[in-house]
Amino acid sequence: MKLGSLLRTGLVTAGLLASAATSAFAQGEPIKVGILHSLSGTMAISETTLKDVMLMLIDEQNKKGGLLGRKLEPVVVDPASNWPLFAEKARELLQKDKVAAVFGCWTSVSRKSVLPVFEELDGLLFYPVQYEGEESSRNVFYTGAAPNQQAIPAVDYLMQNEGVKRWVLAGTDYVYPRTTNKILEAYLKMKGVKPEDILINYTPFGHSDWQSIVAEIKKFGSAGKKTAVVSTINGDANVPFYKELANQGIKAKDIPVVAFSVGEEELAGVDTKPLVGHLAAWNYFESVKNPANEKFIKDWQAFTKNPKRVTNDPMEAHVIGFNMWVEAVKKAGSTDPDKVIDAIIGVSVPNLTGGYATMMPNHHITKPVLIGEIQGNGQFDVVWQTPGLVVGDEWSDYLPDSKDLISDWRKPMNCGNFNVATGKCGGKGM
């Protein structure tokens, strides 16, 4: 055979092999994505919708051709509002199902439960809900708000715009409300609030009998000083809490409630007319007007086949986190956790409020802060927002053990609790 024929044959063969390789790659093993949200129990009221939005995001990405030429496959588990079960299900997702990343958890106790599993097995967790801070893990991306992106601005708003002088810090009895209220108590005292003007109360998950507690709040607010409730009550306990406020005639103009864990989804099960004027602090509301949000709402209602299905802040956090993970995988050319961790810092993607979210070196993201007022239709009217984006602060400036700590997961620091006073990684210089 002549040289030219040999070359042509070789090129054709090489082309066929390359084509076959590309075809095989496109039809390769799917990339599995873990979804770790409670679909039963006290937190199902909040978490089920996060499972649904993850299924929508994965479906949309597959319609775009998947990721790295491979299809994404959701793996859904139900940890059933059972905190130890979260850890078991996380281990199952990482070891048995071999997922590339996990999107999940709502409560901080569930996140704390799974944290050792992700660190031991070098998995990736995208956590979409506001939390208490005081943590920065190499294996976790905190796409919900830190206290300086929700709690502190909410208190500032109430002080400056509502003239609040007395404070009820009401929460569910677990780590997020307790730590957030510890930060808020220190902040309020720094602002000159006296200890007798702060009332702190905790109730268990699923608490339903609010009569005596609401009566105590009403009495506390009758001392002649403007009073507000800062609520870190979680899950389905919010429904009877708000009902009891209405029962006892507590109106927003008298004692406003600002909630950190009540959004559109939770209000869907409540008659909101008696709650008009009460507040919530988030980084997104469905009522935000811009083309990106309008498209998201339209796509969401089409996907769920329900024109009345609402959107909320933690859903937006999953949208941001998922898109950041996709971009980081593309950038790294791999789903390998170590490569994704290195690639994701600095990645920016659109948020749903009309701007961009960026993943910072502390594994927290930039966010606007919005205060919304409950309307009679279960939506929120945005009454205030920060002029720009706020960078999530993982370690509080108001707690003595935290004020000198920073987190930076870039090399060479690669540390979640670097003490700027001692110059050592390990918090207090251990």
Side-chain angles (χ1 to χ4, degrees):
M1 188 179 288
K2 291 181 180 178
L3 180 60
S5 298
L6 282 168
L7 286 171
R8 282 193 295 274
T9 303
L11 288 170
V12 170
T13 304
L16 289 170
L17 288 171
S19 175
T22 303
S23 177
F25 181 70
Q27 296 171 7
E29 287 292 312
I31 297 171
K32 293 184 178 180
V33 179
I35 302 174
L36 183 66
H37 281 301
S38 295
L39 310 179
S40 57
T42 188
M43 292 308 302
I45 185 176
S46 298
E47 293 195 66
T48 300
T49 198
L50 296 186
K51 177 265 296 181
D52 291 341
V53 79
M54 283 306 305
L55 293 177
M56 182 182 90
L57 292 169
I58 290 168
D59 181 64
E60 287 179 344
Q61 189 63 34
N62 282 334
K63 287 175 180 173
K64 296 175 189 174
L67 187 56
L68 302 181
R70 295 158 65 190
K71 184 180 179 182
L72 297 180
E73 180 184 310
V75 183
V76 178
V77 295
D78 177 16
S81 306
N82 178 321
W83 319 133
L85 190 57
F86 266 88
E88 289 180 33
K89 293 295 184 182
R91 187 173 293 277
E92 181 182 303
L93 286 170
L94 293 172
Q95 285 189 322
K96 175 175 162 279
D97 298 304
K98 307 291 186 187
V99 299
V102 175
F103 294 80
C105 299
W106 180 292
T107 66
S108 286
V109 66
S110 65
R111 189 192 72 256
K112 293 286 189 186
S113 177
V114 304
L115 185 57
V117 178
F118 281 91
E119 292 182 336
E120 174 198 340
L121 301 176
D122 197 27
L124 303 179
L125 173 66
F126 286 79
Y127 178 64
V129 185
Q130 87 290 347
Y131 86 120
E132 70 282 359
E134 306 308 292
E135 178 183 301
S136 180
S137 171
R138 180 176 175 274
N139 297 87
V140 181
F141 301 100
Y142 306 82
T143 56
N148 73 308
Q149 294 173 309
Q150 186 186 38
I152 298 295
V155 165
D156 285 342
Y157 172 83
L158 289 170
M159 279 184 169
Q160 295 161 15
N161 295 69
E162 302 279 346
V164 172
K165 305 290 185 187
R166 299 199 100 193
W167 303 85
V168 179
L169 308 182
T172 302
D173 192 5
Y174 74 106
V175 61
Y176 161 62
R178 284 192 173 273
T179 307
T180 299
N181 287 342
K182 186 179 177 183
I183 292 168
L184 287 179
E185 185 179 13
Y187 183 71
L188 289 169
K189 287 177 179 177
M190 189 194 79
K191 289 285 190 178
V193 178
K194 296 176 181 178
E196 59 265 29
D197 287 328
I198 303 172
L199 173 66
I200 303 176
N201 179 276
Y202 296 104
T203 46
F205 278 99
H207 189 71
S208 58
D209 184 6
W210 288 94
Q211 193 170 349
S212 60
I213 293 169
V214 170
E216 184 183 18
I217 291 170
K218 192 173 183 179
K219 183 180 177 184
F220 186 77
S222 65
K225 295 180 180 178
K226 182 68 175 182
T227 302
V229 177
V230 177
S231 171
T232 47
I233 298 164
N234 257 260
D236 55 9
N238 277 293
V239 175
F241 171 63
Y242 278 98
K243 282 183 178 176
E244 189 58 34
L245 288 175
N247 289 343
Q248 297 199 28
I250 294 180
K251 294 184 170 60
K253 63 183 177 61
D254 303 319
I255 304 177
V257 176
V258 60
F260 301 159
S261 294
V262 172
E264 294 85 347
E265 187 75 9
E266 289 76 17
L267 290 180
V270 182
D271 176 11
T272 55
K273 289 182 179 61
L275 307 182
V276 169
H278 287 301
L279 306 165
W282 290 105
N283 311 104
Y284 163 89
F285 289 106
E286 181 177 348
S287 58
V288 169
K289 301 291 185 208
N290 66 65
N293 190 37
E294 287 164 12
K295 181 181 184 303
F296 174 68
I297 294 166
K298 184 180 177 182
D299 291 348
W300 168 244
Q301 292 174 347
F303 179 79
T304 59
K305 298 180 174 61
N306 183 349
K308 295 183 179 179
R309 194 78 183 266
V310 296
T311 63
N312 64 20
D313 180 285
M315 288 172 64
E316 189 218 22
H318 260 342
V319 171
I320 291 169
F322 178 78
N323 288 334
M324 283 182 166
W325 174 72
V326 167
E327 291 305 314
V329 168
K330 289 178 184 176
K331 185 177 167 185
S334 170
T335 60
D336 176 79
D338 294 331
K339 292 178 181 177
V340 172
I341 288 168
D342 288 340
I344 200 169
I345 293 172
V347 166
S348 290
V349 300
N351 60 29
L352 297 178
T353 54
Y356 279 79
T358 303
M359 181 62 71
M360 304 304 287
N362 62 358
H363 285 192
H364 292 63
I365 68 172
T366 56
K367 287 175 168 286
V369 186
L370 287 67
I371 306 292
E373 189 177 275
I374 297 174
Q375 304 298 294
N377 62 357
Q379 289 292 320
F380 291 85
D381 179 33
V382 177
V383 294
W384 178 88
Q385 70 179 83
T386 50
L389 299 174
V390 179
V391 177
D393 188 359
E394 71 285 13
W395 299 105
S396 175
D397 296 335
Y398 309 108
L399 298 180
D401 289 341
S402 303
K403 62 183 179 64
D404 293 328
L405 301 183
I406 63 169
S407 166
D408 190 333
W409 289 109
R410 296 172 298 183
K411 297 178 179 72
M413 183 178 284
N414 200 34
C415 177
N417 56 356
F418 184 83
N419 191 315
V420 296
T422 64
K424 294 179 181 178
C425 183
K428 300 175 186 177
M430 296 183 291

